[in-house]
Amino acid sequence: MLTQISIFMIAVAFAVLVFFMVRTLRSASDSLEKVTDTLQEVQKTIDELSYEVKQMLRHANDITVDVENKMKQIDPVVTTVKNLGDVLAEITAAGKQLSTTFMSKLQKTKTARTAAKERVPASPSQPPDRTFQSYDAVYGKSGKARNWLAYVDIAAGAWSRMRSR
């Protein structure tokens, strides 16, 4: 009888063990199914994102090509602006040199006039002679002023023709 009770107890213990093992395996199976579903959703999301990323890269490549073409079209304009800046810098330097020369000649003329006044004292009753001839002698003839402007125009035209070749 003791053997029968022992066998019965072993059978009951085995049945309880099998019952809990089945519950555990079912729970594990449900978890694995949920993990499988989640992985399928993740794979689907990754596929959608990879398609969108590829489209975005294609669009970025198109934009890059377009920008490169536009930069190539703008290069001559930038070069022209640079050349214009160089010409203006040279014209400014020439104008500065011309101004310096003019001022030094004016200073020499003024010094010469001052020296002439010191040598020949003017009579207080007689006003100084203000004729066109004396004005031309001090400041140069008006025709000469026009001539140097014409020379500047000719030089600028020659310079632009030389630069365009």
Side-chain angles (χ1 to χ4, degrees):
M1 168 105 176
L2 196 51
T3 0
Q4 288 177 347
I5 293 175
S6 294
I7 290 176
F8 179 71
M9 294 278 277
I10 291 173
V12 169
F14 186 71
V16 169
L17 178 67
V18 167
F19 175 74
F20 282 110
M21 285 292 276
V22 167
R23 278 186 70 191
T24 304
L25 287 175
R26 280 191 183 166
S27 194
S29 175
D30 289 343
S31 295
L32 285 175
E33 285 179 19
K34 288 180 182 178
V35 167
T36 302
D37 290 343
T38 303
L39 284 175
Q40 287 175 350
E41 288 178 22
V42 166
Q43 183 63 37
K44 184 179 176 183
T45 304
I46 288 174
D47 289 341
E48 290 172 359
L49 285 175
S50 69
Y51 175 76
E52 289 178 15
V53 167
K54 287 177 185 175
Q55 291 295 348
M56 188 170 44
L57 284 174
R58 286 185 188 119
H59 188 65
N61 286 339
D62 292 342
I63 289 173
T64 303
V65 168
D66 188 40
V67 167
E68 285 176 355
N69 287 335
K70 288 188 169 117
M71 289 297 287
K72 287 178 184 175
Q73 291 173 352
I74 290 176
D75 278 344
V77 173
V78 171
T79 303
T80 301
V81 168
K82 181 190 175 297
N83 290 341
L84 180 62
D86 292 343
V87 167
L88 288 176
E90 290 178 16
I91 288 173
T92 303
K96 185 177 178 182
Q97 184 179 8
L98 182 66
S99 173
T100 304
T101 304
F102 179 72
M103 289 304 290
S104 67
K105 284 183 181 179
L106 185 64
Q107 195 72 314
K108 286 179 185 176
T109 305
K110 187 177 180 183
T111 307
R113 261 193 324 184
T114 307
K117 282 184 182 179
E118 289 176 0
R119 278 186 256 134
V120 179
S123 66
S125 63
Q126 216 177 27
D129 187 21
R130 304 249 182 213
T131 64
F132 287 112
Q133 292 172 346
S134 65
Y135 181 82
D136 287 343
V138 173
Y139 296 107
K141 293 191 177 187
S142 58
K144 287 184 181 178
R146 288 188 194 125
N147 283 343
W148 77 265
L149 287 175
Y151 292 135
V152 169
D153 287 340
I154 291 170
W159 177 255
S160 66
R161 283 190 207 111
M162 184 180 76
R163 295 289 281 182
S164 66
R165 288 185 184 175

